[in-house]
Each structure stands twice: as C-alpha cells, then as structure tokens.
C-alpha cells in the first residue's frame, strides 16, 4: 500500500446485501471503490452485531483493492492475529475500547497490518497526540458507532486539528458515518482523505444495478472535489 492524500471512497459493506457479500464487493470495486470498509461489531462495545474473522476471511479473495477493517469490539488484542490471518490490510481499533491503545497499535503493526485508531464523536483530537507515530490512519467517527444510516455529526474542527497535528506524517484521516454529497466537502476541505460511506453508496443500487453504486460514488467524489 503506497501512501497519498488523494480522495479515496471506502464503501461500507454494512449497507450491502448480507446474503451476497462476494458479489457486492466485486460490484463496488468494478464501479470505482478505492477501498472496501468492513465494520466488525461485537454487541458489547456497540449495540449491534455483524461478523467476525471467518466472514472477513471469506471476503478477502473478493477484495482486490484495500480491505479496511474497522473493529467496534472490546477487547481487541486477543483478536488481532485472527484478523491478520483473515487478510486485513488495515486494522482499526477504537481508542475507547480499552486502556492500552498504544500496545494494541504496536501489536497490529507487529502482525503485519497497517494500524488505525478510531475516535468516537465524544473523544477529542488531543487523545491521539502521542500515537501519531504509531498509527497509519486516524478514523474520525461522525456518528456514534453501531449502525449505518445515521445523521452526520459535524466534526470538521476536529478533522482540521488532526490534520495540523499530523503534519508530514504518512497518516490517513478517515471519516466514518453520515458521509454523502452534502457532508463530504466539509470533511475533505478540513483535511480528510478517506471517506467511508454506507447508505450513500448502496442506496438505490444492487448487484443487478451496480451502475447506481458507481453514480452514488461519483456524486460524493464530485462534491468533495
Ligand atoms: C458505523 C459504521 C460505519 C457505517 C457508515 O458504526 O462504522 O462504517 O456503516 O454508514 P453510513 O454511511 O450509512 O453512515
Ligand atoms: Zn466503519
């Protein structure tokens, strides 16, 4: 994975047809997705449950771009090797998920993956000040995690602060939650480069109408500039 700050759209397969993940992943990539965002929820850290390492491993052969795995689980460390084995390119853990995020990021990198750290809306940018040399990605949540289709919470000031803190480091800023053609330009202008979008990408489309996915992504891209 090479690093750049160009705009990347990462559709969240949380909004895909759960009975048809392989075809859905192939469809969004054929329509121009830059990364594939995989939302792992444990029914404990967040009030919703999705899938675990065996499912993520099954997604892997379908993902030709970058498999971006967002863990909304607690604890994290016991599962890091399983997600490495499942083929995650980027593994993101929440700073709120445990007392030892520094150790978690070290372990993610030691397992051969890029390390991401996610911040809930209530967690300030300063919380990652001492982690910037250990992280490859900061995920700024613009909803409280757990569900797709929620209303965007404006975290533009936090994104701008993080962008300044990151400086020349090769660290992505990812936005997750409520991204659509209206909200994308706000966070892009503030310094984000990876935009996760679930509902705004999948709405109106299907594997039989994949061009809708393409048009939805294009609308976000065009708006973000
Ligand atoms: C929220 C997830 C997001 C979510 C995005 O807990 O981490 O990735 O699926 O979905 P939308 O774009 O619908 O807000
Ligand atoms: Zn996510």
């Amino acid at each position: 994975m090479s690093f750049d700050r160009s705009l990347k759209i990462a559709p969240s397969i949380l909004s895909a047809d759960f009975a048809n993940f392989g075809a859905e992943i192939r469809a969004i990539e054929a329509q121009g997705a830059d990364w594939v965002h995989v939302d792992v929820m444990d029914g404990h850290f967040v009030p919703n449950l999705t899938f675990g390492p065996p499912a993520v491993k099954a997604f892997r052969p379908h993902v030709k771009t970058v498999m971006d795995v967002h863990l909304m689980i607690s604890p994290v460390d016991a599962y890091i090797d399983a997600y490495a084995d499942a083929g995650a390119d980027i593994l993101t853990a929440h700073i709120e998920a445990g007392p030892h995020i520094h150790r978690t990021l070290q372990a993610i990198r030691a397992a051969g993956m890029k390390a991401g750290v996610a911040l809930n809306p209530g967690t300030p940018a300063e919380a990652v000040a001492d982690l910037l040399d250990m992280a490859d990605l900061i995920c700024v949540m613009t909803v409280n995690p757990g569900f797709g289709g929620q209303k965007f919470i404006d975290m533009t000031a936090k994104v701008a602060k993080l962008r300044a803190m990151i400086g020349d480091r090769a660290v992505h800023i990812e936005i997750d939650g409520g991204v659509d053609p209206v909200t994308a330009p706000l966070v892009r202008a503030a310094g984000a480069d990876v935009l996760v979008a679930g509902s705004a990408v999948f709405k109106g489309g299907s594997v039989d109408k994949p061009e809708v996915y393409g048009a939805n992504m294009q609308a976000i891209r065009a708006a973000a500039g």
Side-chain angles (χ1 to χ4, degrees):
M1 266 182 76
S2 60
F3 180 85
D4 67 60
R5 291 189 208 283
S6 64
L7 182 68
K8 290 166 278 292
I9 307 285
S12 165
I13 58 168
L14 187 60
S15 295
D17 174 0
F18 269 40
N20 210 6
F21 280 121
E24 291 276 40
I25 290 167
R26 294 193 302 275
I28 53 175
E29 288 198 336
Q31 293 294 324
D34 297 287
W35 293 6
V36 174
H37 185 82
V38 176
D39 284 309
V40 173
M41 304 185 185
D42 67 352
H44 167 72
F45 180 69
V46 290
N48 194 8
L49 192 59
T50 55
F51 31 69
V56 175
K57 191 171 193 167
F59 305 156
R60 176 70 264 185
H62 301 282
V63 179
K64 305 299 180 205
T65 57
V66 170
M67 189 159 75
D68 172 34
V69 178
H70 177 193
L71 298 181
M72 286 160 276
I73 69 172
S74 175
V76 171
D77 294 11
Y79 300 98
I80 290 172
D81 288 344
Y83 286 99
D85 179 60
D89 295 302
I90 304 170
L91 194 65
T92 296
H94 270 261
I95 196 166
E96 306 86 3
H100 299 296
I101 187 68
H102 192 281
R103 173 186 291 152
T104 299
L105 295 174
Q106 278 180 325
I108 292 172
R109 281 188 169 174
M113 298 172 284
K114 299 281 187 195
V117 56
L119 282 71
N120 280 337
T123 302
E126 288 75 10
V128 297
D130 292 335
L131 301 172
L132 295 174
D133 292 318
M134 329 210 20
D136 302 289
L137 175 147
I138 313 287
C139 174
V140 178
M141 295 303 302
T142 40
V143 296
N144 285 296
F147 303 94
Q150 302 184 81
K151 190 175 164 359
F152 179 83
I153 302 168
D154 191 354
M155 292 282 132
T156 310
K158 189 195 287 188
V159 175
K161 199 177 283 182
L162 283 167
R163 183 66 198 88
M165 288 164 64
I166 287 168
D168 291 336
R169 294 176 179 88
V171 179
H172 297 287
I173 299 182
E174 176 176 77
I175 306 300
D176 191 359
V179 171
D180 64 19
V182 175
T183 57
L186 305 174
V187 288
R188 177 60 172 160
D193 62 304
V194 185
L195 305 184
V196 174
S199 358
V201 168
F202 284 90
K203 73 157 194 274
S206 69
V207 294
D208 300 320
K209 277 193 292 180
E211 64 283 358
V212 177
Y213 298 158
N216 288 344
M217 284 188 270
Q218 192 43 43
I220 296 170
R221 236 185 261 284

